[in-house]
Amino acid sequence: MSPFRQPLLLLSRSGTAKTLLTKLPLAGDIVARFVPGETLEEAVAAARELADAGIHTTIDHLGEDTTDAAQANRIVAEYVALLEALAAEGLASWAEVSVKLTAIGLDLPGGRAVALENARRICRAAHNAGTTVTLDMEDHTTTDDILAALRDLQQDFPETGVAVQAYLHRTETDCRSLARGSSRVRLCKGAYDEPEEVAHAAPVDVDRAFVRCLKTLLDGEGYPMIATHDPRLVEIASALVSRYGRAAGTYEFQMLYGCRPEEQQRLAATGERVRVYLPYGSDWYGYLVRRLAERPRNLSFFLTALVSKK
Ligand code: FDA
């Protein structure tokens, strides 16, 4: 694991660092590399470009520290407008949305009910547009709430998906209960700084847990979404989908916007369904710092960009 990971994840919560870094223009190389724009129009244009290249998207309106109901409502309205735009642009079969429950009210007083009702509004808009919603997974204190919300949402919108994090000890059990029906489950390693009581710390243990979870998902009836840039895991996943007799289109690969674009194209060219997680919005700071924490090479790219701006 990168020695920068923990300090950077701490930095992702620092107000001073945020003020400093957010002064960089969004057009700055590093931000634009991971976040294609601040506006809905820019997000739709990026989704169009990827669709033209045969790549699906899941679009995330950035934001995770929602502190009042009005802010949560604005985010819901943004998602509804985005979904209407995707339908109007004929992109509904190519693009879906990813939603963080903390962005739509989970941390507010009575947050579970608020976030569930807001998520329901987004799921309804997605359903009307002809596409789907996937719930992002956040830090471990939110896992139970997110899975409970998923179960509620799936009663009316069975196509609703969820992300699970291989680094959490609980996730193998969660995968067993999620690998049913048409359940859409995005398996990723996990991006938060978690205590050892709840999460594997060693990268090798996370990778092994990822493979065990993937086997459970591929063996089940659901629709696994394999979210990793790790070349070894992509190779293992490609072998496992054959071993479990999975036809293309009964699972998909997912990567983040700006991460291994050539690999995204290569997989799509071999007939795999590939979906890119496409974040947009002005609240890009926390997302960007998590990406930097994952990959020191991204950090040096960022620091060079920062110095050259002076
Ligand atoms: P990891 O970062 O461990 O890298 C392993 C190897 O992959 C590296 O050594 C390198 O060889 C290669 N590699 C990685 N990144 C590369 C790059 N940019 N360019 C070239 N090579 C690279 N997390 C979460 O907690 N909740 C969530 O809801 C989501 N959602 C989500 C959606 C999607 C579509 C993705 C791809 C990821 C997430 N994540 C997430 C983030 C996830 O948990 C994880 O933090 C990152 O994907 C990084 O882990 P990797 O599996 O990519 O490998």
Side-chain angles (χ1 to χ4, degrees), residues 137 163 165 186 189-191 228-231 256 260 294-295:
M137 192 50 79
Q165 299 151 322
R186 174 200 299 156
K189 289 191 187 182
T228 182
H229 314 101
D230 190 328
L256 302 176
R260 304 197 70 201
E294 280 156 13
R295 199 160 156 76

Side-chain angles (χ1 to χ4, degrees), residues 36-37 40-52 55 57 59 91 257 278:
L40 185 157
E41 290 73 21
E42 287 168 315
V44 172
R48 156 78 56 213
E49 204 172 306
L50 285 160
D52 289 345
I55 292 184
T57 44
I59 308 182
L91 283 169
Y257 183 89
L278 194 161

Side-chain angles (χ1 to χ4, degrees), residues 5 33-34 58 98 100 135-139 163-165 167 186-192 203 207 210 226-233 254-256 258-261 275-277 290-291 294-295 297-298:
R5 186 165 188 267
R33 180 175 153 188
F34 295 105
T58 181
S98 280
K100 282 189 176 49
L135 304 180
D136 282 344
M137 192 50 79
E138 306 184 55
D139 75 64
V164 292
Q165 299 151 322
Y167 65 15
R186 174 200 299 156
L187 176 63
C188 62
K189 289 191 187 182
Y192 296 80
D207 292 359
F210 190 103
I226 308 161
T228 182
H229 314 101
D230 190 328
R232 211 168 134 259
L233 288 180
Q254 296 193 345
M255 295 193 187
L256 302 176
C259 295
R260 304 197 70 201
R275 189 177 300 276
V276 164
Y277 187 99
R290 282 199 295 281
R291 302 292 77 81
E294 280 156 13
R295 199 160 156 76
R297 201 178 300 167
N298 288 342

Side-chain angles (χ1 to χ4, degrees), residues 233-293:
L233 288 180
V234 170
E235 200 183 318
I236 291 172
S238 301
L240 286 177
V241 294
S242 311
R243 195 199 296 174
Y244 283 89
R246 286 284 188 151
T250 66
Y251 64 90
E252 67 187 38
F253 285 97
Q254 296 193 345
M255 295 193 187
L256 302 176
Y257 183 89
C259 295
R260 304 197 70 201
E262 300 85 8
E263 178 66 358
Q264 297 165 14
Q265 291 290 352
R266 185 194 70 79
L267 285 167
T270 63
E272 297 289 3
R273 186 178 296 165
V274 178
R275 189 177 300 276
V276 164
Y277 187 99
L278 194 161
Y280 80 99
S282 51
D283 198 2
W284 44 260
Y285 175 78
Y287 176 87
L288 180 69
V289 174
R290 282 199 295 281
R291 302 292 77 81
L292 298 178

Side-chain angles (χ1 to χ4, degrees), residues 76-97:
V76 175
E78 176 78 18
Y79 270 107
V80 171
L82 170 64
L83 287 158
E84 286 168 358
L86 292 174
E89 291 286 323
L91 283 169
S93 60
W94 285 98
E96 64 141 27
V97 296

